[in-house]
Amino acid sequence: MPHLSRRITSLNDGGSDGWEVFYRARQMIAAGTPVTELTIGEHDIRTDPSILDAMDRAAKAGHTGYAMVPGIAPLRAEVAQRITDRTGTPTTSDNILITPGGQAALFAAHIALLQPGETALYIDPYYATYPGTIRAASGIAVAVPTRARDAFYPDAEQIRAAARQHGAKTLLINTPNNPTGTVYPPEILQAIAQVCIEEDLWLISDEVYDTQIWEGAHLSPRSLPGMAERTFVVGSMSKSHAMTGSRIGWICAPEAAIPALIDLATVTTYGVPGYIQDAALYALQQGAPLEDTVAAPFKRRRALALDILSKQDTVTAIPSQGAMYVMLDIRKTGLSGRAFAESLLDAHHIATMPGESFGTSSAGHLRVALTVDDDALAQALTTLCHHAESLIP
Ligand code: PMP
């Protein structure tokens, strides 16, 4: 056949996609071997039945045709109000584009901000799709490393140096963070904002975990002085409302950018199904109580995980304050994250994500998703710790 474009054949930069352990676990399950899966960020509960009822009502009322490409007016207004209420930054419907999930928003943001060949910075460790998303937008993906001993917090001066070295156009950050579970402290976000202003960078702020904070508070960097005009916020209902399969999220951007984003949506997604948007509107109107119900299991399990880990000192947790993950340092075993994850899967049928799947900074770590019931999690983590101890040379 004729050649595929280099843009898509190089999405993973010729390397692995980092999901080998996950796929192998799925193969074992398909072959009938039970596996405790602590891999992907998927809730163990399903979308609340009241949200499904709203979806059903909307579909049966006929909202099954093409929906407005920017999003239905009441949903854009509700998202804008939510952002205004939570961040104190005045936001209107004209700042909002409804997208089929946060991933589509990440892609649209990079397409909107990068000329082909321009550099986009992102922080390592990172959510697995980030570099591929940048490359799909014909950008050059450059990771800014962090260190385990700094809880993987980014260093603003390192971002500045990378921005200067590569003439970067954008910076992508994510707090609360996947894979580390950290929440960036205000002083780090302020320093990053300062660098964005001084180095004339666009900031793409992935805030899809903004309802999952166990310590401290979420600070949206768009609310910092001078940042609303250079920040695209990526939002999603996947994590906040257990609506991963509904594919619904948004971009909050400067008003002047929205018409171009609507043009892009017109030639890519052509909008989000109307009945999904109606269900999302219903879900957002339920406010914090529904979000707290969805977040509660992760808060509880994070405490449970830290308690189990505190009883031994072979495996240590990166101090985490949010999201549905804990990041574990297994370097005392002398194994790589990948080798440890493979051996844990083989020996105990427990699947975790190797830190190497999320970049080089988190080598020798494992990401554990807190997405199984409390008893199964406790048992898996206890086994994981014993396995680590048994490997100590
Ligand atoms: N950003 C981060 C950090 C994520 O973890 C995810 C999903 N795991 C997404 C974006 C995309 O989420 P969705 O497309 O389901 O909204």
Side-chain angles (χ1 to χ4, degrees), residues 46-64 237 241-248 272-283:
R46 301 287 83 189
T47 307
D48 192 83
S50 69
I51 301 177
L52 299 180
D53 287 343
M55 203 180 287
D56 184 60
R57 277 196 305 278
K60 288 185 178 144
H63 295 189
T64 53
M237 300 193 58
H241 293 80
M243 291 180 73
T244 48
S246 290
R247 313 307 306 133
I248 178 117
V272 174
Y275 53 92
I276 302 279
Q277 296 197 60
D278 286 341
L281 176 61
Y282 165 86

Side-chain angles (χ1 to χ4, degrees), residues 101-103 106 127 130 174 178 206 208-209 236 238-239 247:
Q103 181 55 44
L106 284 164
Y127 172 49
Y130 282 1
N174 170 225
N178 176 11
D206 179 342
V208 305
Y209 293 97
S236 171
S238 288
K239 313 295 172 174
R247 313 307 306 133

Side-chain angles (χ1 to χ4, degrees), residues 52-206:
L52 299 180
D53 287 343
M55 203 180 287
D56 184 60
R57 277 196 305 278
K60 288 185 178 144
H63 295 189
T64 53
Y66 292 123
M68 294 287 290
V69 171
I72 57 171
L75 180 59
R76 291 175 82 194
E78 186 70 28
V79 170
Q81 192 59 49
R82 181 185 198 263
I83 293 173
T84 307
D85 293 346
R86 292 181 185 205
T87 67
T89 308
T91 306
T92 73
S93 299
D94 294 331
N95 297 111
I96 306 297
L97 175 82
I98 302 298
T99 62
Q103 181 55 44
L106 284 164
F107 178 63
H110 284 96
I111 286 266
L113 299 176
L114 294 172
Q115 305 279 13
E118 282 185 331
T119 292
L121 303 177
Y122 61 105
I123 309 299
D124 179 340
Y126 50 86
Y127 172 49
T129 69
Y130 282 1
T133 303
I134 293 165
R135 292 186 198 110
S138 298
I140 307 295
V142 173
V144 180
T146 59
R147 288 179 303 202
R149 67 170 180 274
D150 302 330
F152 297 115
Y153 291 144
D155 176 75
E157 288 315 311
Q158 241 178 303
I159 293 171
R160 188 196 303 281
R164 287 188 181 170
Q165 186 187 344
H166 299 278
K169 182 79 171 295
T170 59
L171 167 67
L172 169 58
I173 63 169
N174 170 225
T175 178
N177 188 268
N178 176 11
T180 63
T182 56
V183 174
Y184 296 174
E187 56 278 14
I188 289 190
L189 288 169
Q190 278 150 5
I192 290 174
Q194 205 52 41
V195 167
C196 288
I197 291 167
E198 287 164 9
E199 305 301 326
D200 198 22
L201 292 173
W202 280 98
L203 182 65
I204 302 171
S205 179
D206 179 342

Side-chain angles (χ1 to χ4, degrees), residues 258-327:
I258 295 293
L261 286 168
I262 295 173
D263 289 345
L264 176 65
T266 304
V267 298
T268 50
T269 62
Y270 214 83
V272 174
Y275 53 92
I276 302 279
Q277 296 197 60
D278 286 341
L281 176 61
Y282 165 86
L284 288 178
Q285 285 167 341
Q286 307 315 301
L290 181 52
E291 296 176 4
D292 291 347
T293 307
V294 175
F298 305 119
K299 181 176 187 182
R300 198 177 62 231
R301 292 171 194 160
R302 178 249 187 190
L304 181 73
L306 295 187
D307 183 51
I308 291 169
L309 292 161
S310 72
K311 299 194 170 113
Q312 50 79 61
D313 59 8
T314 307
V315 179
T316 50
I318 297 299
S320 76
Q321 304 88 17
M324 46 171 76
Y325 314 99
V326 287
M327 188 71 129

